Amino acid sequence: MSPGADAAGEIERLREQIRHHNHRYYVLDDPLIPDSEYDRLLRRLQELERAHPELVSADSPTQRVGAGPLAAFATVRHEIPMLSLDNVFSEDELRAFDRRVRERLGDEAGVDYCCEPKLDGVAVSMLYEQGVLVRAATRGDGTTGEDITANVRTIASVPLRLPAAVPPQRLEVRGEVYMPHRGFEEMNRRAAQRGEKTFVNPRNAAAGSLRQLDPRITAARPLEFCAYGLGVLDGASMPATQSGALAWLRELGVRTSGELRVARGVEECLAYYARMQERRAALRYDIDGIVFKVDSVALQQRLGFVSRAPRWAVAHKFPAQEEMTTLLGVEFQVGRTGAITPVARLAPVFVGGVTVSNATLHNMDEVRRLGLMAGDTVIVRRAGDVIPQVVRVLEEQRAPHARAIALPVNCPVCGSPVEQGEGEAVARCSGGLVCAAQQKETIRHFASRRALDIEGLGEKLIEQLVDQGVVRNVADIYALDEATLAGLERMGEKSARKLLAAIARSKRTTLDRFLYGLGMREVGEATALALARHFGTLEALLAADAGELQQVPDVGPVVAGHVVAFFAVPENRALIGRLLEAGIAWPAVEKPGASAPLAGKTVVLTGTLEAMTREEAGERLARLGAKVAGSVSARTHIVIAGPGAGSKLARAEALGIEVWDEAQLLDFLSRNGAD
Ligand code: IVH
């Protein structure tokens, strides 16, 4: 055998292996080998192909990026037009769609529908001949689109050759090219770093990436593909149902959605819609609704089309997550530690399923980054339970009367000067506990559920107590009497007695709750617990200097500085004295033993959690003996990743660290009595 024949054999074997692993990874979501091993296979194939250029073929996994840039896209005529979908926006409209379908079919009972997420990307048609990808095109006007073969070939989840043993002669796969959130954010972050233009949303990013004449640019973009239908089909018979067609495509090696279900009748469709609306925020990619398709292809044919949309399918859209509105003005709120937060007052707008009229702007850097002026037209986004955000200004629509937004010189509540430290994003009211806003927030925090937990001492009541000068600080709470309380608005004797009982109960607490309740800057629950465990008693903590404080896990110079500064203020010491005199007490601090379920384990939290904040999760993990750290390293044992997790998760995966999702965390906490 010649050396060339040897190489040809090895090349073929490598291509087979790589195709198989692509299929496991992209279609089945079930990779067999680590990425490093995959990279080795690919590199070996590249090496052999470089040595034997005559053996390179267009469907080789190395040939995703072909020749240089195109001058322009060629046009492609679709053999079967690519239709669009009619939209419905409410339950009633979906029921009306179902009624029309049943009337036309003369079917009283329910119709089966194939339910699919409506991916928010770009529709693409891909033609496979004898299993080899020969052409990919955009939808265009439905009749003719653009030839984007070179770009689509760069998308890793698109097979260049179907791994099926006997693929059909000609098969047109239709589906969506889209960009998952994580890739989108990462790409925008890099673009911003380089001072380049960022994309507004993942759909625009996907469309922009496919429209590149140079496929090397597309190759660098994190695009994915998912199929939702068939077009041309020669050499195989058409499956009898839409769900069957998608199952068949998956068998042929094409990626389809893992969320597909067949629903019997409109009620099941509505239940699917509701379920997916809840899951929406947890998905890796954007969906903007659900597509319902009559499952039976025979019934589809009987129903036919009207103009450019089928009568047998409909898109039930989710409420939009982004809407346009007017920024009426910016107000400045004062927080517990005096931090001054600009808050956008908006003309009320229905977005993400609720009416939004306020959105936090975080700080003045954010106002400058957005280039906001009062009176501007802005885009407001609300996704899932995430707080509403102003994401963008439509500068081209700026009104002549738009006004600049300036940080106030004096605190809007107490009039004390506003200060901003060198290099700090946050401006603060210098009034300290003289400031009524800070008083209220400090009291609210002290009484909150995870601090001293005074049930019934809510925002409205605190507002009255502070405004009337009855309560100025947290120690005053313990001097309240029934007569004073009963005299307040919306308070009777009964609720006054109830509140006094809750205040009395709050005196039995724990050292960590007490420390957390004091509201020192940067001392959240996890840090309060670490301080309590390390020092054991309040006296020992009060006596500690910055150096000793930094012996505590995860306490650095900044936190230590805040703690020292807090205890150095005579008024704060006096306040603590009064609280103790009022009878606040706690049992001796328990340290978790070596037998604690997470003793000796370092855990990192990343992304957003739904059931609790990261801070709360950290505190519960710490109670089970874990050390909660901020960054992932080789010494990390577990990474808990919620949606939106980015570089920390990627690092954990690269290091082979155990990763839990929120469900696993909740399960672990409940099994160990920490929920
Ligand atoms: S079916 C004959 N299914 O939505 C039906 N479309 O508004 C043609 N889309 O152009 C489309 N997910 O880009 C279908 N599961 C899905 C889809 C889907 C997203 C997009 C597609 C289409 C547009 C129609």
Side-chain angles (χ1 to χ4, degrees):
M1 225 192 317
S2 74
D6 249 11
E10 186 179 351
I11 284 177
E12 238 354 278
R13 278 194 303 281
L14 281 166
R15 287 179 186 161
E16 277 304 312
Q17 276 178 297
I18 293 169
R19 281 185 197 120
H20 177 63
H21 291 305
N22 280 345
H23 181 68
R24 297 285 308 213
Y25 189 94
Y26 291 109
V27 180
L28 305 181
D29 279 331
D30 183 21
L32 280 176
I33 54 169
D35 293 359
S36 53
E37 178 59 21
Y38 176 88
D39 291 342
R40 261 194 295 280
L41 294 173
L42 195 64
R43 269 201 306 276
R44 174 71 185 145
L45 178 61
Q46 280 165 338
E47 228 172 73
L48 286 170
E49 289 183 347
R50 251 196 313 277
H52 304 275
E54 73 285 0
L55 296 176
V56 176
S57 68
D59 66 349
S60 169
T62 57
Q63 299 303 299
R64 290 204 175 262
V65 183
L70 302 170
F73 295 116
T75 52
V76 171
R77 219 184 147 72
H78 298 298
E79 283 175 50
I80 303 174
M82 286 184 79
L83 302 171
S84 67
L85 291 169
D86 277 341
N87 294 324
V88 296
F89 296 91
S90 68
E91 183 175 325
D92 286 350
E93 288 176 3
L94 186 71
R95 287 183 192 283
F97 162 80
D98 171 62
R99 207 172 312 118
R100 284 194 302 275
V101 165
R102 284 186 292 113
E103 275 165 14
R104 282 200 169 259
L105 296 174
D107 182 342
E108 286 295 308
V111 171
D112 281 357
Y113 291 100
C114 182
C115 312
E116 307 169 13
K118 187 171 190 297
L119 295 161
D120 205 4
V122 181
V124 171
S125 143
M126 301 193 303
L127 187 64
Y128 285 90
E129 287 180 352
Q130 316 294 355
V132 177
L133 175 67
V134 294
R135 198 201 64 204
T138 60
R139 174 170 174 270
D141 62 5
T143 315
T144 47
E146 287 179 321
D147 186 329
I148 51 164
T149 312
N151 289 342
V152 169
R153 289 173 59 89
T154 68
I155 303 171
S157 44
V158 171
L160 298 180
R161 173 205 279 251
L162 298 178
V166 208
Q169 265 157 18
R170 292 178 84 230
L171 166 72
E172 184 192 356
V173 178
R174 291 178 174 181
E176 200 85 347
V177 168
Y178 60 95
M179 195 179 281
H181 295 137
R182 202 194 297 169
F184 169 72
E185 279 152 22
E186 183 65 19
M187 186 182 94
N188 261 357
R189 199 181 54 74
R190 280 203 221 117
Q193 251 172 15
R194 289 195 296 257
E196 291 167 10
K197 196 178 143 284
T198 54
F199 284 103
V200 170
N201 57 41
R203 176 167 38 88
N204 288 341
S209 302
L210 280 182
R211 226 180 289 113
Q212 298 292 331
L213 287 168
D214 185 348
R216 282 168 300 189
I217 299 182
T218 314
R221 302 280 171 83
L223 296 173
E224 289 185 10
F225 174 79
C226 180
Y228 53 67
L230 291 176
V232 172
L233 178 61
D234 292 335
S237 53
M238 188 57 126
T241 58
Q242 164 71 11
S243 53
L246 294 179
W248 181 56
L249 279 181
R250 192 175 154 89
E251 272 167 36
L252 288 175
V254 178
R255 189 144 175 256
T256 55
S257 170
E259 311 284 341
L260 304 174
R261 297 289 177 276
V262 175
R264 180 142 294 179
V266 72
E267 296 307 327
E268 287 187 22
C269 289
L270 287 165
Y272 177 86
Y273 177 88
R275 235 181 9 256
M276 288 303 289
Q277 195 170 12
E278 291 213 333
R279 268 181 63 62
R280 186 183 189 188
L283 294 176
R284 291 186 306 114
Y285 43 81
D286 269 357
I287 63 175
D288 59 346
I290 300 296
V291 183
F292 296 110
K293 300 174 183 169
V294 170
D295 200 32
S296 153
V297 174
L299 296 185
Q300 289 181 2
Q301 281 161 354
R302 274 175 56 198
L303 288 160
F305 308 89
V306 247
S307 69
R308 287 167 52 194
R311 285 207 190 89
W312 44 262
V314 76
H316 188 183
K317 300 291 281 280
F318 291 137
Q321 291 186 320
E322 288 189 2
E323 284 293 352
M324 230 165 71
T325 189
T326 309
L327 177 67
L328 302 174
V330 172
E331 283 175 17
F332 291 86
Q333 273 178 0
V334 186
R336 171 166 57 86
T337 58
I340 304 232
T341 308
V343 177
R345 298 283 176 234
L346 304 162
V349 61
F350 191 73
V351 53
V354 299
T355 300
V356 169
S357 43
N358 303 309
T360 175
L361 294 166
H362 305 289
N363 54 49
M364 287 306 284
D365 284 353
E366 176 76 352
V367 172
R368 275 186 289 273
R369 188 185 68 79
L370 290 165
L372 270 189
M373 291 177 78
D376 271 345
T377 303
V378 294
I379 305 286
V380 176
R381 178 176 174 81
R382 180 184 178 272
D385 289 334
V386 179
I387 53 169
Q389 299 263 317
V390 173
V391 290
R392 199 155 54 88
V393 175
L394 298 184
E395 262 175 58
E396 55 286 6
Q397 292 196 22
R398 176 158 291 158
H401 60 263
R403 302 174 313 279
I405 295 161
L407 183 70
V409 181
N410 295 102
C411 170
V413 176
C414 71
S416 304
V418 168
E419 292 170 346
Q420 188 159 16
E422 186 86 23
E424 275 194 31
V426 179
R428 288 175 200 279
C429 158
S430 60
L433 289 177
V434 171
C435 176
Q438 293 187 51
Q439 289 173 2
K440 288 175 192 169
E441 286 303 306
T442 306
I443 295 166
R444 205 171 57 80
H445 175 77
F446 184 82
S448 67
R449 199 171 54 82
R450 303 194 62 83
L452 277 282
D453 190 18
I454 308 178
E455 208 186 320
L457 188 53
E459 204 167 319
K460 288 264 149 44
L461 198 56
I462 294 171
E463 188 93 33
Q464 286 191 64
L465 289 167
V466 174
D467 288 346
Q468 297 184 11
V470 181
V471 169
R472 280 194 193 78
N473 56 48
V474 294
D476 292 343
I477 297 171
Y478 294 93
L480 285 168
D481 56 43
E482 195 179 317
T484 316
L485 284 173
L488 296 170
E489 245 175 72
R490 273 182 302 209
M491 281 289 270
E493 272 175 28
K494 202 167 147 214
S495 28
R497 269 200 298 275
K498 253 177 96 174
L499 180 59
L500 286 175
I503 292 172
R505 273 200 306 278
S506 76
K507 293 180 188 175
R508 298 253 122 241
T509 187
T510 58
L511 177 55
D512 60 292
R513 277 178 179 263
F514 180 75
L515 293 175
Y516 172 64
L518 290 176
M520 292 178 273
R521 273 178 68 185
E522 310 270 343
V523 178
E525 288 180 80
T527 307
L529 185 64
L531 290 170
R533 288 214 174 125
H534 184 88
F535 291 101
T537 65
L538 181 61
E539 292 67 36
L541 173 62
L542 286 171
D545 63 19
E548 286 164 294
L549 283 162
Q550 285 180 63
Q551 304 298 310
V552 180
D554 262 357
V555 171
V558 174
V559 178
H562 288 318
V563 174
V564 170
F566 183 88
F567 290 136
V569 175
E571 286 85 352
N572 290 339
R573 291 248 177 187
L575 200 67
I576 292 171
R578 281 181 60 202
L579 288 169
L580 298 180
E581 266 168 42
I584 292 189
W586 48 83
V589 175
E590 266 177 53
K591 301 198 180 201
S595 63
L598 290 174
K601 299 265 192 245
T602 301
V603 181
V604 174
L605 289 148
T606 178
T608 38
L609 300 179
E610 284 185 0
M612 61 184 99
T613 63
R614 282 216 298 258
E615 171 79 14
E616 285 166 6
E619 184 260 341
R620 289 173 210 198
L621 290 163
R623 281 191 196 286
L624 298 177
K627 176 175 182 299
V628 181
S631 59
V632 176
S633 74
R635 287 189 301 273
T636 309
H637 296 95
I638 303 164
V639 169
I640 296 164
S647 58
K648 287 181 193 175
L649 175 59
R651 194 163 156 70
E653 282 166 355
L655 290 169
I657 293 166
E658 187 172 341
V659 177
W660 292 0
D661 61 15
E662 184 168 1
Q664 282 168 285
L665 169 68
L666 293 177
D667 183 49
F668 185 85
L669 293 179
S670 81
R671 275 189 287 115
N672 291 283
D675 52 344

